[in-house]
Each structure stands twice: as C-alpha cells, then as structure tokens.
Amino acid sequence: MRVTGGLLIPESELSERFSRSSGPGGQGVNTTESRVELSFDVARSPVVPEDLRDRLLARLGHRLTDGVLTIAASEHRAQRRNRQAARRRLADVLREAAAPPPRKRRPTKPSQGARERRLAEKKRRSEIKRTRSDGIDRE
C-alpha cells in the first residue's frame, strides 16, 4: 500500500480483524462479519524511516495504542468494501501525519498608507458618533 512517495507499506505489515457490524442490516446482520479493523504498528515497523517515525508518533500519539494505529470501517455491508475503505482511510491518516510542517510565518507590518487609512476611518467614525448627541442631558 503506497502512502507517500517514500513510504510503501507491504501487506505483511498490516493486520486485519473482522467482526459483526452494528446497526440495521436485514437477514445477514447477525451472521456476516463485515466490520474491519485494520492495524499498523507505526512504532516498530521497519519500513518507516526513523525521522518520519518520530513525526508520525508525535502527530498520531492520541490515536495510537502501544504504537499501533487502528482504523475501523463498517459503513458498507460487504466486507471487501470495508477492507478497501479501511486501507484508504489508513493511507489518508498516515499521509496527513507524514506531511512536513508548514513554513513559519514571516511577520510583516502594515504599510504607511494602511495605517493612515485606518486612522482616517477612526476619525470619521468618531466624528459621526460625536455628532449624534444633541447636547441635551437625559436623566
């Protein structure tokens, strides 16, 4: 399974578990094991480069159990389609976590014209509000 250009996960690294899906279904609802749990050991996988492993563990820490990422899929009635959905979702989660961090923001200052426009608008609003009162005390 290809995740990114440099990360290819072989089928032997993935483990699947099947169970019965919950919810409405029909005749086969209590007999077919269509729910799929796909697991990938991020912490101990030899195919994940060391620098990428650190980034994945840091970003996926809340989703990992003992370094293992588990994805469950049960939205389809067929086991085959749930297996495909779980693989697609696993690849998406890993791809998002493996993305390099965004570049740091370069601080900028407002231009002289922008500062002057802002002050002019403040003066105009102030004048509008000042002329609203008619000078009569209302008690």
Side-chain angles (χ1 to χ4, degrees):
M1 178 174 75
R2 181 165 296 284
V3 176
T4 63
L7 181 58
L8 180 69
I9 300 173
E11 291 292 318
S12 60
E13 291 278 319
L14 303 174
S15 68
E16 292 176 321
R17 255 184 40 208
F18 305 104
S19 60
R20 294 180 181 161
S21 282
S22 63
Q27 285 180 326
V29 71
N30 293 326
T31 58
T32 59
E33 295 192 340
S34 59
R35 182 176 188 269
V36 177
E37 280 187 17
L38 184 64
S39 298
F40 174 61
D41 193 345
V42 178
R44 289 174 279 289
S45 175
V47 298
V48 180
E50 201 58 43
D51 58 327
L52 184 58
R53 182 187 327 274
D54 295 338
R55 188 182 309 158
L56 290 174
L57 291 174
R59 290 187 179 173
L60 295 174
H62 63 286
R63 292 192 67 166
L64 300 177
T65 305
D66 296 329
V68 178
L69 175 64
T70 302
I71 303 287
S74 62
E75 60 266 15
H76 301 289
R77 288 174 59 179
Q79 186 187 82
R80 179 181 52 79
R81 291 187 62 198
N82 281 330
R83 288 177 76 190
Q84 292 169 348
R87 279 176 162 60
R88 196 170 30 255
R89 215 174 304 150
L90 177 72
D92 290 344
V93 167
L94 289 174
R95 193 174 302 116
E96 189 175 317
R103 291 196 323 212
K104 290 207 182 230
R105 180 187 170 276
R106 197 159 149 214
T108 58
K109 293 180 182 174
S111 67
Q112 180 69 33
R115 277 197 297 265
E116 288 171 1
R117 285 190 299 275
R118 185 180 127 265
L119 291 174
E121 178 60 22
K122 283 178 69 147
K123 266 189 191 143
R124 193 178 71 77
R125 293 294 302 162
S126 157
E127 186 63 28
I128 288 171
K129 291 182 176 191
R130 192 174 58 75
T131 57
R132 278 184 191 157
S133 75
D134 53 4
I136 300 171
D137 269 348
R138 294 189 176 113
E139 290 182 18

